[in-house]
Amino acid sequence: MKKWLYVLWGIALIAVLAACTANSSSEEDRTEGEQADSGDTKTLMLNNGEEPTSFDPPMGFDSVSWNALNNLMEGMTRLGKDHQPEPAAAEEWEVSEDGKVYTFMIREDAKWSNGDDVTAGDFEFAWKRLLDPETASPAAFLGYFIEGGEAFNNGDGSKEDVMVEAVGDKELKVTLSSPTGYFLNIISNPAFFPINESVAEENAEWFAEADSFVGNGPFTLDEWKHDSEMTFKKNENYWDKDTVKLDEVHWAMVNDTNTEYQMYESGELDTTNIPSDMSEELMESDQLKVQDQAGTYFYRFNVNEEPFQNKKIRQALAMAVNQQDIVDYVTKNKEEPAHGFVSHGFEGPSGEDFREQNGNLVEFNAEEAEKLLAEGMKEEGYNELPPITLSYNTSESHKKVAETIQQMFKENLDVDVTLENAEWNVFLQNQKDLKHQLSRSSFIADYADPINFLESFVTDSSMNRTGWSNEEYDQLIEQAKNETDETKRWEHMYEAEKILFEDMPIFPIHFYNFVLLEKEGVSDVIRHPVGYLELKWADKK
């Protein structure tokens, strides 16, 4: 049983990584000479996969934005080497006896990259902007723990009702709607990064270009050639600059794993993912790194689109997918097949892992799938199923999984499925707009608690993207968020996940992990199982 993540009663330190997904974009290679370190300059060469969605903290709510942004900025807390939240912009904090009021003291030497002081006002401005309905942040739900946050975001309250207050230049007071033991972990998420208020007031698009970007993290954004490459440089105004060993970080944007691996082999990258057709060979490499990650690769049904308004038809297609075969013969990256939505690694008050306790909620069963399909078609009066289109964002690895599922539907149910793909931003917007019928997706945990997985599917959540709504499910999630008895809270979450798989608006494929090659001489690149890539401590010989 994995125990890299644990939940301790009454303690505000929990930790560990990601919501959301990525894969697509452009390729523009640089020569090895252009990539190489010059002189004694330490330059780490990474691949971001694609263009960041946004470096506006509440809007860049995906891994292709997070991984970079986490090194350009930081919040009150930062996940440390041990994946636990530790002081960052905040030097210290106090928690009230009832666990609802946090008072943060910001470091006197916390500076923006332009030399301005980081103030409590910058945090108040940023956190209220996260919750402002006009911002339309996909991460706004993370701020619902704050008193008045949900009401403001839903249009039922005002900005003044959000209980975030700068009580001094360097002191921020935050009142939560209920005690939340993992709050210090939540606010390490990039959605809670501060924004230099005066800079934002002068230029609403301050985050869009390198020459206007202002951060407070270990690195500065030196160059940004959109859809091509980025260069970070060590931030000399960072309060902990002496810890930062790298001089530069260069990011390519290549979404093809084979090309990425070729760049790694030629010295243009220091890390690479492993092409699936080379996995058996490279899994024996002495440069291989395999690490845990809290997240799930899955598919979403649009329950508003025929034939997926029918629960039995959804169940049938879910049970026709053999997850074990996909990880063994398609992805081949040592992933674990997923038979629920919450990944392994979350230990509850009983000491048992959430996934082990709640068991396998969906498993491959071709015979049962065929039976359910027939029953569902009869309920809908179908002699044959309406046409089905499976959508995925452009990526060779996603294509292989989609083609395999297409084949499984045909072999196990005699159901024909058409495949379509689109570049990431187009695909994502169509998914949010419920324009897909059946589409691939992924969830990388935003903070270290099972509720983060399950809250994605409450009615009207920006993360739902299925059209599915279940009143009992919504109530259980609400109860779990407000329950102070940990045993009862976990029981609510167990029950909610079972309802999710009884109705089956989604079906899982595998849990995520990190499997990559890393050059000898590269050290202390921290990949948090829950969160983000961390380069503050990274080094390169």
Side-chain angles (χ1 to χ4, degrees):
M1 183 187 304
K2 300 178 186 176
K3 293 186 179 179
W4 43 260
L5 232 169
Y6 44 92
V7 179
L8 300 179
W9 298 358
I11 297 180
L13 295 179
I14 297 178
V16 207
L17 182 277
C20 305
T21 321
N23 260 319
S24 63
S25 195
S26 65
E27 303 173 11
E28 183 170 321
D29 296 345
R30 298 177 73 188
T31 67
E32 185 173 354
E34 289 175 319
Q35 294 273 13
D37 294 350
S38 58
D40 295 328
T41 301
K42 289 185 178 181
T43 303
L44 186 67
M45 295 174 289
L46 303 176
N47 180 26
N48 202 55
E50 63 177 30
E51 173 81 356
T53 305
S54 178
F55 279 161
D56 183 6
M59 300 307 294
F61 195 57
D62 51 43
S63 60
V64 291
S65 303
W66 275 359
N67 284 336
L69 190 57
N70 187 55
N71 296 286
L72 293 171
M73 304 183 78
E74 71 178 11
M76 290 293 192
T77 61
R78 187 177 201 93
L79 299 185
K81 287 184 177 182
D82 60 355
H83 312 306
Q84 301 286 341
E86 62 183 30
E91 188 170 28
E92 57 184 357
W93 49 82
E94 297 175 354
V95 184
S96 63
E97 198 169 315
D98 65 1
K100 293 175 62 174
V101 181
Y102 285 71
T103 304
F104 295 93
M105 277 64 78
I106 299 171
R107 300 176 185 277
E108 288 298 325
D109 56 352
K111 301 281 186 181
W112 290 102
S113 53
N114 66 355
D116 292 349
D117 282 339
V118 175
T119 69
D122 293 330
F123 276 94
E124 179 180 350
F125 171 76
W127 290 13
K128 288 183 175 179
R129 183 169 171 269
L130 164 68
L131 290 161
D132 193 325
E134 293 188 6
T135 303
S137 167
F141 70 95
L142 293 176
Y144 287 3
F145 297 95
I146 299 170
E147 182 69 34
E150 184 172 8
F152 177 43
N153 188 246
N154 290 337
D156 298 326
S158 68
K159 183 183 296 187
E160 291 69 31
D161 294 330
V162 178
M163 299 300 288
V164 177
E165 179 187 5
V167 295
D169 286 345
K170 294 286 187 176
E171 185 174 335
L172 187 77
K173 180 180 177 182
V174 184
T175 302
L176 308 184
S177 55
S178 62
T180 305
Y182 41 90
F183 182 64
L184 294 176
N185 184 278
I186 296 172
I187 61 173
S188 69
N189 187 287
F192 290 91
F193 287 168
I195 293 173
N196 188 314
E197 185 174 6
S198 61
V199 168
E201 287 177 346
E202 290 179 13
N203 177 13
E205 297 293 313
W206 62 273
F207 50 81
E209 302 292 341
D211 59 5
S212 59
F213 187 89
V214 177
N216 69 323
F219 297 91
T220 61
L221 182 57
D222 184 64
E223 184 179 41
W224 187 1
K225 295 180 181 178
H226 293 284
D227 295 306
S228 175
E229 61 186 1
M230 299 179 291
T231 301
F232 293 2
K233 288 193 174 181
K234 180 176 178 177
N235 181 6
E236 295 299 331
N237 283 322
Y238 182 53
W239 67 271
D240 198 20
K241 66 178 181 180
D242 291 343
T243 297
V244 181
K245 300 178 181 68
L246 296 174
D247 297 303
E248 295 181 350
V249 182
H250 180 267
W251 303 79
M253 298 181 194
V254 175
N255 76 332
D256 180 75
T257 307
N258 290 300
T259 304
E260 181 184 49
Y261 175 70
Q262 291 165 9
M263 293 173 69
Y264 177 82
E265 284 290 279
S266 66
E268 298 172 72
L269 291 174
D270 289 317
T271 69
T272 182
N273 291 300
I274 295 176
S276 59
D277 58 358
M278 299 182 69
S279 61
E280 292 183 17
E281 171 189 349
L282 295 176
M283 283 296 177
E284 304 303 319
S285 170
D286 57 6
Q287 297 178 347
L288 181 74
K289 289 185 176 290
V290 180
Q291 298 173 328
D292 293 314
Q293 186 177 18
T296 309
Y297 189 110
F298 69 103
Y299 275 77
R300 303 176 193 260
F301 292 112
N302 182 346
V303 303
N304 296 328
E305 292 280 337
E306 288 193 273
F308 300 130
Q309 79 283 4
N310 185 280
K311 180 173 73 173
K312 289 182 178 178
I313 293 175
R314 298 195 299 267
Q315 291 172 334
L317 267 66
M319 295 176 72
V321 174
N322 189 325
Q323 294 99 331
Q324 188 69 55
D325 279 359
I326 290 175
V327 299
D328 286 345
Y329 306 117
V330 182
T331 57
K332 297 187 286 189
N333 266 346
K334 295 184 180 291
E335 301 99 338
E336 188 170 348
H339 300 292
F341 190 64
V342 178
S343 67
H344 289 269
F346 297 91
E347 188 177 297
S350 67
E352 189 164 10
D353 186 273
F354 183 101
R355 184 72 279 125
E356 300 298 329
Q357 176 68 32
N358 224 27
N360 292 344
L361 302 181
V362 57
E363 295 184 89
F364 172 61
N365 187 329
E367 186 176 328
E368 181 67 16
E370 196 171 13
K371 174 186 170 186
L372 285 167
L373 180 62
E375 291 176 0
M377 290 179 66
K378 183 177 181 181
E379 289 176 358
E380 300 299 329
Y382 293 147
N383 291 319
E384 61 181 37
L385 283 179
I388 296 174
T389 299
L390 184 157
S391 306
Y392 62 94
N393 56 292
T394 305
S395 157
E396 190 60 32
S397 59
H398 296 329
K399 179 183 178 183
K400 289 179 180 178
V401 174
E403 288 175 341
T404 303
I405 291 174
Q406 179 188 44
Q407 183 180 358
M408 289 176 174
F409 288 162
K410 181 63 176 176
E411 290 181 355
N412 297 323
L413 296 176
D414 196 26
V415 170
D416 292 309
V417 172
T418 300
L419 303 184
E420 70 170 14
N421 69 293
E423 294 303 310
W424 172 243
N425 287 329
V426 173
F427 171 86
L428 181 61
Q429 191 58 55
N430 285 340
Q431 190 179 72
K432 289 177 178 178
D433 293 340
L434 294 184
K435 292 182 178 179
H436 293 148
Q437 199 178 6
L438 170 62
S439 60
R440 76 148 294 274
S441 198
S442 66
F443 178 83
I444 305 297
D446 312 307
Y447 58 90
D449 194 87
I451 195 68
N452 183 220
F453 284 76
L454 299 172
E455 67 185 349
S456 298
F457 298 102
V458 298
T459 303
D460 296 330
S461 166
S462 62
M463 299 298 293
N464 190 317
R465 306 174 199 165
T466 65
W468 179 70
S469 176
N470 183 294
E471 185 177 348
E472 185 180 1
Y473 184 89
D474 292 352
Q475 289 175 350
L476 286 165
I477 298 303
E478 183 67 22
Q479 288 170 341
K481 287 188 171 184
N482 291 288
E483 180 58 67
T484 56
D485 182 308
E486 281 293 284
T487 299
K488 291 180 180 177
R489 189 173 79 89
W490 281 63
E491 287 298 332
H492 293 325
M493 293 191 289
Y494 292 143
E495 190 175 348
E497 192 190 39
K498 288 173 181 174
I499 290 173
L500 181 67
F501 281 90
E502 170 62 26
D503 274 7
M504 206 74 76
I506 63 169
F507 64 88
I509 302 298
H510 63 74
F511 296 126
Y512 277 108
N513 60 0
F514 295 111
V515 178
L516 58 128
L517 302 178
E518 187 173 271
K519 295 285 189 182
E520 186 178 353
V522 173
S523 61
D524 288 328
V525 174
I526 308 299
R527 297 171 178 88
H528 300 299
V530 163
Y532 345 91
L533 183 72
E534 181 64 71
L535 303 175
K536 176 176 176 175
W537 297 280
D539 201 359
K540 179 180 176 181
K541 293 180 182 178

